[in-house]
């Protein structure tokens, strides 16, 4: 539409890393991320989720305020920030404040040195989050920090990255890198790094740390932007425009004029963060940016209260509400504001709060039923809102606003006001009243970045009773908000019950009962009972201290002391009105790493910095989607099935998208006659690329739609209409039980099916007790690599195809593409440089994406690329295998198990993938205990669900957990200490050999018994066990548990190729079949090449590591690359390279000896130059094939974890984890340490957090960061200690090394077991309040994952009522 009121359209002007950009044409829906990745060279910003939930796309936005003459800096999610909103702004990305050409920033150098990066995909975003915190810390008036540090505190450093997700590292090393900048850091608290050695003096440490100058300007705001004035309108087309009204009058005029045009779609914008939740695909005509309207962007304070403009960001609101006075005590109203600010700081993450507006949050709550924390807490303080509608202004209570008709396009929320609350003045010495206010939030993550299960805010005016001891409730407002309820509500019937009453146990009991009937989600969510229970717990937590300590509370309060919400049942409300400025609990109190370094094979064994770490931190490391799109490149998006078994009649694309013939859909019909409908293949079978008329599972690929941009392709796929029919089709198989009933099973080759051990009948006969037919169910887990599946296919001459794929198995991708296209394999070339997280998900599951791109590119003779959006990736990924386990176990009175029988039904999904390996892997890890006799019947079930695939520790993690579940059950039945039962059933070497055979190695290699005992000492297990018992005796609403768990994890080496070449200048290029996934493969290979080549013993050879470069995988250059999986690819690749280098050394040795006789001494460069002149072959290839005796070996480790559970919410806090792991002679202890920590935290996610369920049709329910929660920095162990055992030499190992990638994941079951121990204590306590059967109640199964609702349910959804009832009966 034309410009309004004669305004002249202007160009959009901004800067990125100091480079000026000026745009005259632009789709207003374009995000900053889209622009950066498609139209600039700056690729450090990554697309991880598109929802603002992962932090991979974070940038620093800087705005110049001409009035204050200062620059305002804040971090933001570029995936949500609309490009038009950054006019006049300067954008800084990770490569903008440091890079390889201009020099890395200390952030990049410290991330590298603290080994804080693995795959590196998330690292640039984390670095920007930290950079933003540093920039703003330096603006404060705090004292200058010591040299090398910033003004930032340790707590701020950790919180700065609390919204960033990382799937690889386990966060501990990231926390250390961040804390190293803090002025108050304890240098002894910083873990393993490449800058100093353990035990060195502090001054030496400081001198070696990459120096940070807090006075140095990290960035300069471009002068050319200081005079840019925000224009009234950007007119980008005849239909679309972007408007920037500067006043309410301009906004009113604009809305009135645009509403006169029938059918005009209008979007009001401030931060656009709502798109992250609702995923807008609507095509708007007019965008109106409200952020420039001064009336909407201010916070006003006066005697009547605080009014917050609707366009004020949540971050600015927090800043305004927090009081910065010097007084130690706050007045009541200021206390209320401070608590509101504290609660707001747990909403979303910092880079979302910086752009999300308070008004936008409330409007989403009103119009779209968004579960808004802000609405909940403001409802409790009787906030009012100001609305402009139909040409007039009006004030409404927030309650009226939420319950009213949703705002139309002609209505605008202008502000929200918090009225001043003041208690009734004292009328006599005996009649006094005060306000108390608290907010509550139960969410999967303590620091935010997660919607709450329930939020609440309670405001009460109370006074001591005149004629008796106690507290009278004069008035109260109780508000609650949760998913499943349309909007935040007040519990008015509970308020009516309480007001005017003298608070006692009976009144509180009645209020709790009544409240639980109030909080009833309308959509009957599966968590309805849990949410009601939370409400009861919050109410109890708020009011109970007034019953137990009312006199003391008031006496302290009026004597100058203050009060706050309790931490324990009888703890008073202390310090409620104390000011706690900038106090953020430290997330990680400490982490200790103990390594035993070897020097025998230097540089092998040294904790060398990860290869390319600084490039990853700066964002210069190139991933597949960072490769610039070739000319005429098309983008693809899958149309997938939403039905488990149906006939596909038709697929229709929205005609309004105007896709021409070259931009259409590709399906099974487009596969050439000479080709095959094959999407992936293994030795067990094939999976079709596209469904052939009948779709057999929800999430199956039906077609791929192609468009000029990824955004348009995604929209086309999302809006496509698929017509299904079901006539003459059987009902789908959606459970393993049904699969068995209908004989829908996959065959397991005999060579893969494990062997039974001992005689079951004999073992059962020897037992004193039996547990028969107990059941366990284990769910799935999604990979959540930060880089989703991606590939780029480019047609080449002579019917050839070059494919760039993010793949763990390029060789399989290569073969599959050739078969699908019907061409010889030499016509296909697959290139993989690095992978942005794999965990097994980039193995078989990556192949169809690359094959799809190749098929489309061949058909259209144009480059085609795909980058799956997070939802599509999650729908198709399959993930870890769910299973149902039934076990019977026989055992002695002393806890020694004599026989175990298992029946396991494994849900493999619709296609085989690698599922037949599962029985072998399950039993391999399960055999870690001496079961006496072990028998099993395992069936791999074919169901109409997405095919499951290998995920880090496939089968092993389930097998190890099953073993622990059995042990826990036996101990519970015998009422024995579970740790004693574990110890009794650990293997002797004799029993180990009986279970594992030749994989057991020599007697001295069996290190588990010594690990078990050593860990008990180093983790002070016995002392802490007693401390836990004492804690549980004295705490009602918090319980602790501690558990020690062992692992035995078999691994197998596989044949691996290698190639090494020495160039004329002495530099070395190495190629291996293994893929760099973040596991440090390239780093270890470089060290191995340097070690092997140093055998030539040239003079002044020094460290050859810097001369070695490992290059990307190329399937035509390096064939037979195989899988990168199973934890052993690094060591196998190292051995392949060592064989190559040995050949080169043998070729060079005669020349070296000859030159040495002639010259006396010979340096490396001279030797190589002469070798080139004398035609010595300086390139060697090898193919490492492990020997029969060395192919299989066992890994050992143990962990102690201690947790604390909150009985009112079900929240579990991991207080401490101690790991002792046998790495053999570690090839690189720093890399192995990162693998151990990262694997453990990923396991923590499986056991405690990550829910990957489906609807009744098998369609995945978790489709993004909003409803799938991987661990974050605030959910890992508070104390995270790891010791790597450098065990003895193993002649059959590769330089005596052992694997570290997968086995430590199994140790995370220690957290689950510790949680179970804590729950058991809670249930014992509940028994003392009730008349329940103890034997039945203390034997229970704890689900996986043990989420907050699961833990709370086992602790008693009615535990508050039972406690109050018990107290009433014992008064």
């Amino acid at each position: 539409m034309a410009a309004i009121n004669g305004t002249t359209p202007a160009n959009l002007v901004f800067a990125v890393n100091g480079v000026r950009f000026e745009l005259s044409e632009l789709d207003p829906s374009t995000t900053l991320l889209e622009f950066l990745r498609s139209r600039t060279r700056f690729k450090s910003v990554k697309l991880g989720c598109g929802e603002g939930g992962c932090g991979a796309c974070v940038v620093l936005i800087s705005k110049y305020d001409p009035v204050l003459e200062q620059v305002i800096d804040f971090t933001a999610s570029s995936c949500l920030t609309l490009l038009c909103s950054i006019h006049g702004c300067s954008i800084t990305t990770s490569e903008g404040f440091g890079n390889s050409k201009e020099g890395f920033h200390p952030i990049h150098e410290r991330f590298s040195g603290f080994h804080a990066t693995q795959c590196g995909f998330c690292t640039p975003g984390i670095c920007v989050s930290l950079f933003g915190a540093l920039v703003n810390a330096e603006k404060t008036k705090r004292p200058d920090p010591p040299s090398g540090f910033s003004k930032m505190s340790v707590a701020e450093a950790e919180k700065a990255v609390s919204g960033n997700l990382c799937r690889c590292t386990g966060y501990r090393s990231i926390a250390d890198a961040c804390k190293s900048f803090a002025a108050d850091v304890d240098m002894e608290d910083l873990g393993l790094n490449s800058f100093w050695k353990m035990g060195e003096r502090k001054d030496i440490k400081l001198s070696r740390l990459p120096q940070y100058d807090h006075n140095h300007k990290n960035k300069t705001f471009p002068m050319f932007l200081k005079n840019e004035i925000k224009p009234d309108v950007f007119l980008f087309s005849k239909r679309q425009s972007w408007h920037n009204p500067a006043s309410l009058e301009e906004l009113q005029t604009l809305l009135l004029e645009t509403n006169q045009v029938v059918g005009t779609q209008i979007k009001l914008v401030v931060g656009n963060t709502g798109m992250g939740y609702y995923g807008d695909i609507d095509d708007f005509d007019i965008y109106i940016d409200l952020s420039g309207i001064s009336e909407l962007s201010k916070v006003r304070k006066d005697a009547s209260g605080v009014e917050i403009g609707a366009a004020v960001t949540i971050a600015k609101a927090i800043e305004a509400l927090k009081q910065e006075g010097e007084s130690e005590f706050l007045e009541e109203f200021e206390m209320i504001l401070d608590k509101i600010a504290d609660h707001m700081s747990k909403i979303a993450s910092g880079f979302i709060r910086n752009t999300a507006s308070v008004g936008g949050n409330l409007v989403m709550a009103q119009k779209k039923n968004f579960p808004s924390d802000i609405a909940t807490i403001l409802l409790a303080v009787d906030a009012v809102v100001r609305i402009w509608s139909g040409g007039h202004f009006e004030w409404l209570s927030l309650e009226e606003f939420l319950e009213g008709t949703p705002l139309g396009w002609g209505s605008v929320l202008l502000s929200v006001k918090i009225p001043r609350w003041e208690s009734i003045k004292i009328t006599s010495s005996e009649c006094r009243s005060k306000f108390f206010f608290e907010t509550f939030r139960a969410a999967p993550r303590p620091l935010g970045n997660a919607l709450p299960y329930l939020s609440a805010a309670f405001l009460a005016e109370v006074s001591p009773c005149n004629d008796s001891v106690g507290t009278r409730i004069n008035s109260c407002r109780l508000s609650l908000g949760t998913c499943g309820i349309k909007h935040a509500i007040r519990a008015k019937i509970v308020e009516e019950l309480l007001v005017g009453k003298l608070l006692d146990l009976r009144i509180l009991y009645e209020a709790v009962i009544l409240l639980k009937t109030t909080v009833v989600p309308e959509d009957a969510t599966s968590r309805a009972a849990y949410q009601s229970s939370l409400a009861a717990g919050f109410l109890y937590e708020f009011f109970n201290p007034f019953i137990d300590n009312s006199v003391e509370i008031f006496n302290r309060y009026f004597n100058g002391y203050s009060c706050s919400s309790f931490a324990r049942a009888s703890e008073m409300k202390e310090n409620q009105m104390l000011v706690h400025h900038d106090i953020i609990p430290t997330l990680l109190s400490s982490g200790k790493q103990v390594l035993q370094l070897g020097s025998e094979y230097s540089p092998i064994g040294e904790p060398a910095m990860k290869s390319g770490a600084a490039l990853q931190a700066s964002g210069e490391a190139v991933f597949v989607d960072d490769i610039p799109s070739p000319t005429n490149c098309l983008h693809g998006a899958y149309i997938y099935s939403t039905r488990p078994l149906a006939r596909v009649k038709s697929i229709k694309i929205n005609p309004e998208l105007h896709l021409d013939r070259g931009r259409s859909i590709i399906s099974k019909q487009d596969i050439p006659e000479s080709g095959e409908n094959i999407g992936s293949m293994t030795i067990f079978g094939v999976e079709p690329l596209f469904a052939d008329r009948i779709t057999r599972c929800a999430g199956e690929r039906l077609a791929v739609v192609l468009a000029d941009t990824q955004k348009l392709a995604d929209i086309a796929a999302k809006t496509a209409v698929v017509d299904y029919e079901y006539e003459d089709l059987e009902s789908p198989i959606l459970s393993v039980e049904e699969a068995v009933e209908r004989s829908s099973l996959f065959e397991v080759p005999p060579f893969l099916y494990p062997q039974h051990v001992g005689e079951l009948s004999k073992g059962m006969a020897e037992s004193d007790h039996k547990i028969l037919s107990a059941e366990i169910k284990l769910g799935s887990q999604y990979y959540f690599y930060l880089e989703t599946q991606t590939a780029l296919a480019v047609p080449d001459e002579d019917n050839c195809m070059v494919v760039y794929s993010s793949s763990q198995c390029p060789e399989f991708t290569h073969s599959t593409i050739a078969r699908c296209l019907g061409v010889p394999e030499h016509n296909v070339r697959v290139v993989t440089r690095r992978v942005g997280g794999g965990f097994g998900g980039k193995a078989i599951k990556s192949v169809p994406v690359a094959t799809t791109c190749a098929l489309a590119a061949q058909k259209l003779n144009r480059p085609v690329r795909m980058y799956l959006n997070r939802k599509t990736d999650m729908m198709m990924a399959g993930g870890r295998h769910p299973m149902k386990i039934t076990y019977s176990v026989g055992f002695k009175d002393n806890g020694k198990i004599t026989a175990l029988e298992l029946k396991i039904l494994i849900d493999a999904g619709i296609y085989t993938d690698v599922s037949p390996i599962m029985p072998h892997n399950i039993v391999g890890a399960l055999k870690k205990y001496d079961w006496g006799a072990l028998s099993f019947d395992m069936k791999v079930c074919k169901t109409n669900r997405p095919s499951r695939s290998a995920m880090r520790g496939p089968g092993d993690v389930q097998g190890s957990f099953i073993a622990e579940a059995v042990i826990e059950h036996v101990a519970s039945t015998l009422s024995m200490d579970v740790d004693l039962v574990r110890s009794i059933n650990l293997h002797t070497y004799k029993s180990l050999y009986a279970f594992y055979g030749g994989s057991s190695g020599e007697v001295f290699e069996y290190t588990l018994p010594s690990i078990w005992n050593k860990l008990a000492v180093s983790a002070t297990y016995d002392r802490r066990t007693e401390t836990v018992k004492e804690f549980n005796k004295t705490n009602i609403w918090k319980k602790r548990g501690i558990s020690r768990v062992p692992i035995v994890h078999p691994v197998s080496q596989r044949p691996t190729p290698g190639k090494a070449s020495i160039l004329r200048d002495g530099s070395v290029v190495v190629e291996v079949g293994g893929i760099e996934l973040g596991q440090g493969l390239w780093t270890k290979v470089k060290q191995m090449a340097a070690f092997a080549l140093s055998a030539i013993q040239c003079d002044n050879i020094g460290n050859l590591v810097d001369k070695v470069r490992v290059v990307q995988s190329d399937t035509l250059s390096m064939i037979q690359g195989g899988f990168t999986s199973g934890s052993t690819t690094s060591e196998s690749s190292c051995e392949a390279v060592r064989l190559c280098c040995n050949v080169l050394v043998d070729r060079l040795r005669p020349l070296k000896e000859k030159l040495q006789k002639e010259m006396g001494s010979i340096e490396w460069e001279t030797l190589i130059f002469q070798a080139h002149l004398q035609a010595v072959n300086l390139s060697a290839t090898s193919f490492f094939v492990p020997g029969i005796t060395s192919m299989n070996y066992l890994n050992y480790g143990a962990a102690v974890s201690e947790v604390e559970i909150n009985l009112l919410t079900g929240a579990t806090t991991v207080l401490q984890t101690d790991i002792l792991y046998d790495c053999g002679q570690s090839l690189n202890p720093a890399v192995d340490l990162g693998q151990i920590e990262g694997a453990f935290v990923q396991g923590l996610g499986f056991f405690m957090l990550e829910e990957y369920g489906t609807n009744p049709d098998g369609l995945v329910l978790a489709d993004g960061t909003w409803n799938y929660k991987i661990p974050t920095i605030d959910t890992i162990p508070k104390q995270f200690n790891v010791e790597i055992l450098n065990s003895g030499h193993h002649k059959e190992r590769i330089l005596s090394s052992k694997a570290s990638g997968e086995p430590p994941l199994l140790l995370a079951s220690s957290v689950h077991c510790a949680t179970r121990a804590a729950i058991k204590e809670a249930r014992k306590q509940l028994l003392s309040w009730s008349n329940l059967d103890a034997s039945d109640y203390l034997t229970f199964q704890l689900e996986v994952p043990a989420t907050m609702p699961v833990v709370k349910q086992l602790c008693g959804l009615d535990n508050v009522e039972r406690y109050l009832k018990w107290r009433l009966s014992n008064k």
Side-chain angles (χ1 to χ4, degrees), residues 725-907:
E725 68 174 14
Y726 308 93
E727 189 176 351
D728 299 327
L729 292 176
E730 292 183 328
S731 60
I733 298 172
L734 294 170
S735 70
V736 289
E737 294 89 346
E738 191 175 0
V740 172
E741 184 180 328
R742 291 165 62 174
S743 299
S744 179
L745 305 172
F746 289 117
E747 182 183 354
V748 178
F751 74 91
L752 274 178
Y753 200 82
Q755 299 297 309
H756 302 270
V757 180
E759 295 182 30
L760 181 69
S761 57
K762 181 181 177 182
M764 284 294 187
E766 292 174 354
S767 66
D768 300 321
H769 308 273
K770 296 182 181 69
I771 297 170
L772 301 176
S773 301
E775 287 189 1
I776 308 171
K777 288 187 177 180
L778 290 173
S780 185
Q781 183 183 22
Y782 171 59
Y783 307 98
F784 216 105
Y785 27 60
L786 266 291
E787 173 203 47
T788 58
Q789 302 286 5
T790 180
L792 166 64
V794 183
D796 203 354
E797 65 181 18
D798 196 21
N799 198 28
C800 291
M801 188 68 62
V802 180
V803 181
Y804 301 89
S805 174
S806 181
S807 174
Q808 293 178 236
C809 51
E811 178 192 351
F812 285 71
T813 305
H814 183 124
S815 300
T816 303
I817 291 172
R819 284 181 60 177
C820 180
L821 302 187
V823 299
E825 287 197 19
H826 65 217
N827 281 32
V828 177
R829 178 179 169 222
V830 178
V831 177
T832 301
R833 179 175 294 181
R834 58 174 58 84
V835 172
F839 320 115
K842 297 282 182 67
I844 302 302
K845 290 291 184 179
S846 71
V847 179
V849 179
T851 306
T852 300
C853 289
L855 174 64
Q858 184 198 55
K859 179 175 177 62
L860 301 175
N861 197 29
R862 295 176 62 173
V864 173
R865 75 187 318 159
M866 294 181 72
Y867 187 75
L868 268 56
N869 62 63
R870 182 60 65 180
K871 178 176 181 177
T872 300
D873 197 286
M874 295 188 77
M875 291 294 137
M876 296 181 171
R880 199 179 290 283
H881 289 73
M883 57 188 67
K884 177 184 177 182
I885 304 100
T886 304
Y887 64 87
S888 297
V889 58
F891 48 96
K892 296 282 193 179
D893 288 328
N894 66 353
K896 180 66 185 77
I897 295 171
T898 58
L900 175 63
E901 181 183 22
L902 292 161
K903 294 179 181 178
I904 301 179
L905 304 180
I906 303 162
D907 189 343

Side-chain angles (χ1 to χ4, degrees), residues 308 364 404 721 737-738 801 829 833 912 1146 1174 1270 1336:
I308 302 170
M364 285 202 304
V721 177
E737 294 89 346
E738 191 175 0
M801 188 68 62
R829 178 179 169 222
R833 179 175 294 181
T912 51
D1146 288 342
Q1174 298 189 34
I1270 70 170
D1336 291 340

